[in-house]
Structure formats: C-alpha cells, structure tokens
Amino acid sequence: MSTLTTNYLAPTGREEAWRFTPLARVGGLLDSTVPLESVNSISISNPQNGVKLTVKSAADCPAISSSEDLASIRGREFIREISHIEVSNNVQLELPVLLKRSSLTGKPQASRTLISCGVNSHATIILQNTGEAILSDEFEFEVAQGATLTFVSLQEWGNKTVHLGRQHAIIAKDATFNSIVVTVGGSLVRLLPTVEYSGPGSSADLQGLYFATDGQHLEHRLHVDHNVPNAKSRVNYKGALAGDKAHTVWIGDVYIRSNAEGTDTYELNRNLLLSDGARADSVPNLEIETGEIVGAGHASTTGRFDDEQLFYLSSRGIPAEIARRLVVRGFFAEIVGKIKNEEIENRLMDRIDAELAKVGA
Amino acid sequence: MSTLDIKGLQVSVATEAGFTEILRGVDLTIKSGETHAIMGPNGSGKSTLAYSIAGHPKYTITGGSVTLDGVDVLAMSVDERAKAGLFLAMQYPVEVPGVSVTNFLRTAATAIRGEAPKLRTWVGEVKEAMKSLNMDPNFAERNVNEGFSGGEKKRHEILQLELLKPKFAILDETDSGLDVDALRIVSEGVNRVKGNSDLGIMLITHYTRILRYIRPDFVHVFAAGKIVEEGGPELADKLEEKGYAEYTTA
C-alpha cells in the first residue's frame, strides 16, 4: 500500500476553490484514507517521427510547476512513473498526435504526463478521454521558445466517471500554446487549464466547450498568470446545459502582475440554458497590478434559448427539435471548428445531438 | 388555386398591464396569383397580422379564424404553417450564429419538400437564385443573417421565397431600409417568383414606393387594428398624396 501523506488536508467545500464541487461525489480522490493507484494511462496511437513517449520514474521527473490544487498535489504524492512526451526541436508535425487512455480501472487512480515541445517545434496533440475512470490527472506542458503547441483535451467519458484534472502550460519567449477543452462526458469533471509564461512575446489561446445534461457536474477553472511583459491571452468557453440538475461551473482568473506591462488579455464565457432545472455558474476575475497594458477585458453571459431564433427557423418549415439542434450546433461550431478534424467534430456533435434528444430539450 | 381566408381575426399581446388588443377583427381573403397591399401608419397592427398568421408565440388569438383552403391554420405549429404553404418575409430577420446559409437553406428545403433535395440540382438551384438576386456566392458560407447589411437580409428573405416556393407570401415591410437599387432587385425577385408560380402575396408596407415595382391588385388601408378602406391600385395613389391622416384622426 502506498504511503499516505501526513500533511494533506481534505477540502471541506468551504474553500473558494471547492465551493461549487459536489465533494460527496469525488469517489475517494480527495479522501485522506483512500490511497491512489499510480497509472501510466497514456499512449500514442499513431506514432510518427519527431515525437516520442517515454515512461520515466516520477522521482527523476518532478513536476515543473508548483500547484495550489489539492487534487494534483495529492496525486503527485502517489505517482511512481510519469509519461513524458517530447516533440523534437524545429520539427513540424504534419499529423496531430493522438493520445489514448488505457489501464483505467474505475478505482481511484492518479496519472501525470509531461509534454515538452522543443524550440521552434510545431505540434497538435489530441487527447481522447473515454471509458470509465476515477482519475486524478495532471498534464504539464513546456512550450519552448518559438514553439507552437495545440493541445486538444476531449472528455468523452462514460457517465460514471470522476475526473479531477490540471493542465498547466509554461510558455517560453515567442511561443504559443493553444488549448481546446471539450467536456461532454463524465459524472463529475473538474478541470484546471492554467497558464504561466517564461518569456515575453508569448501567447495563450484557451478555448473550451462543455455540455451538461441530467445530474452532470462539469467544472472548468482557468487561471492565466501574466507574469512577464508583452504576453497575450485569450479565453473563450461556451457551455450548454439541459436537463434536471445539470450543473456547470466556469471560473476565469486572470492575474496581471506589476511587471507584466504590455499584457493583452480577454476572456469570455457564454452559457446557454436549454431547460429548467439546470444551473450555470460563471465567475470571471481580473486582477490587475499594472496599468501599462494593451488591454484587459472579460465578459460572461448566461441566457436561455433564443425564442426568436427558434421562430425564425420554424417559420421556414424546420421542426422545433431540428431547429434546436441547429442552434446548439451553431453555438458550439466556433469552438469545435478549431479542432480542425472533421471526424472528431462529427463525433462530438452527434453525441451532443443524441444527448439533446434524450433529455427532450 | 388556393385561398387564404382571414375572418374576424382578433389578436392580443401580453404586456405588464395585462392583455392589449391589437387586431380588432380583420377580414381579408387572398387567392392564388393575387397581390394585396396592406398599408397603414406605424403601430396600426400590420406586423402583428403578419406574425399572427405565421404563428409567433408572442401573440394570442382571441377571436376569428385563418384558413388555408379551408384548413385551420391557427391550429398548426409554426413549422406546419410553413409546410402548408405560408411564408413570412420578415422585417427584421433573425441572426442564427454558427448556422451557415447553405445548411439553413437545405434544412428548410428538406423540411418543406418532405425530402432532401438532390445535391447536384440543389447546388445549381441555389446558385441560380443567388445570381438573380445579385448575391455574392460567398454569401452561402456566412452564418444566417449574422453581420448582414439591411439589404442583404432582405435579399436573403427573397432567396428563401424563391427556393421554398410557398403558396402565399407575407412580405412584412420588405422595402424598409432598402436603397433604390436593392429595392428594385428584391422586387424583381418577388415578381419572378410570382411569374413562375401562382403565388398569392400580402405586401405590408408603410410607403407606396415599393408598389411601383410590385403592382398590387388590391389595396387595403389598415388603422387601429383593422381594415378601414379597400380599393384598387388607385387607393395607393390617394395615400401617396394625402397620407394616413384621415384614418388616424377619425
């Protein structure tokens, strides 16, 4: 049995970070009496030149970032081995790297992955989360100078899954990190896409989509730490909710430090409530310590289905059910289109259509 | 030959103060091939008439009937009315973000025709209709009404009229916000559809300008929620000259 951490204090739900999360449903991931099994769950399903995955001892590969997130802190205590994915310097990967999960047991497990993109490299990595799991999961990205990494994280879990995840990027000078997070599956998913910079001229674009139906809790807590001058960030998350007790949480924290002159940031969250009984929490936070910036803004909207859109489509003979589907697809199209993969796009939209039909929204 | 028959139509709208009656007994019969102009001052209820026939949920029918060839239109859902052959060209067409014009038109045509149009002929059909309305081919890839100019929105409405081929079209202030060139193009579109089919038209307008391009067979003056005078095209000339004063102060 793994050693249990002695200084670990389980969250009570009164903490700011956990106040929205249904802690009774986290399946032992935060319970100090429950050990987590260390798992190497990641594999590349389409190996190609310029990228390699190595399993390494966690002791030799400590985390590259500090975390305040209790779930990932606790996960790190149990991790024995990590998956290290490296994209070579100056390589331009032609095809997206597809990451699959395996060895997930549905019992409490912890997994950690480090993705290192070499200088001036260019890669798209797509992670498909499927099956059932109770998983504390951490991804760290080091995006070296001049590199561009697009990371797509698809949460297509089964309906019992608990997934507490942290996805933290450190972006070097003139590098770009694009994140596309899509969460449609799972019983409880709580993801922390977070970003810090290690050099100026760097850029982060964090896009996300979530769709919650009956009883699902889907939580995304973003944090962008503008800790260098002249960096840029964009955040755009869109969510739709349908059915009883569907709950989504979006937190967008942007912190502009006193040395971060020339920062350019904008974050946006839009939620679409498709039926009664669903709840969307949306909290943008902008903390600014310097006025010498290009721009900083945020917006958050939560609205019901637009009856005028529905009327317009219906007045052209389109039945209400198909009209709703068109509008929801349209709402998500902006984000899904960024994945630039027709097969994934169709799969996601089909799943959303099917779940819409199931809840009769 | 079809008939759209409106009898004693009374319509209210819910406000904070309760229901407000807007239509106070409208009688109007339109037959295939006929063009009826409904003219009246702002706030007289012309648009309410249009939206009530199309089935907008904001309006409550409190009396009267609307039938299409004897079938009760008011009992139909909004999409069923369109399938039965009614079309409303809106004054303010609604933006539908993320839904392309192409996808929208094909979905609508599939619903109206009961089967998906054959792709090859459909593409040609859309191209041809867009060309005759002077629309850029790129238009098809844009999202429905999103960022369209006033003129583009109206052309898009008439494009749908051409493709969906209804029995009756209600044109609600289609002339508003159009410059002379756009008005001519849009009017030619309406006349073309009418020439190719036996379309019956209810043309709602505040101004007589559009009637130079689309000649009405009948003119109805609308005031305070009902038709107060009826006549031939010459009635429009009188309105042009004297305005609506005599109907609103009466």
Side-chain angles (χ1 to χ4, degrees), chain A residues 20 26 35 60 73 162 208 238 241 276 283 288 292 325 334 350:
Chain A
F20 292 109
V26 298
D60 297 339
I73 291 169
V162 178
K238 289 179 134 183
L241 301 86
D276 292 332
V283 188
I288 308 181
E292 303 296 308
R325 212 184 289 169
E334 178 195 356
D350 287 348

Side-chain angles (χ1 to χ4, degrees), chain A residues 292-322:
Chain A
E292 303 296 308
I293 57 172
V294 173
H298 60 74
S300 162
T301 61
T302 296
R304 303 215 153 249
F305 205 88
D306 187 337
D307 287 338
E308 295 300 327
Q309 290 181 359
L310 195 59
F311 174 72
Y312 187 73
L313 297 171
S314 299
S315 76
R316 273 45 176 157
I318 301 172
E321 188 192 325
I322 296 174

Side-chain angles (χ1 to χ4, degrees), chain A residues 22 125 157 188 234-235 240:
Chain A
I125 300 179
W157 298 112
L188 191 168
R234 289 289 180 272
V235 175

Side-chain angles (χ1 to χ4, degrees), chain A residues 308-309 312 314 316-317 326 330, chain B residues 56 79 82-83 88 111 157 160:
Chain A
E308 295 300 327
Q309 290 181 359
Y312 187 73
S314 299
R316 273 45 176 157
L326 269 180
Chain B
H56 194 286
D79 58 304
K83 282 176 204 144
L88 170 62
E157 295 292 284
Q160 295 166 52

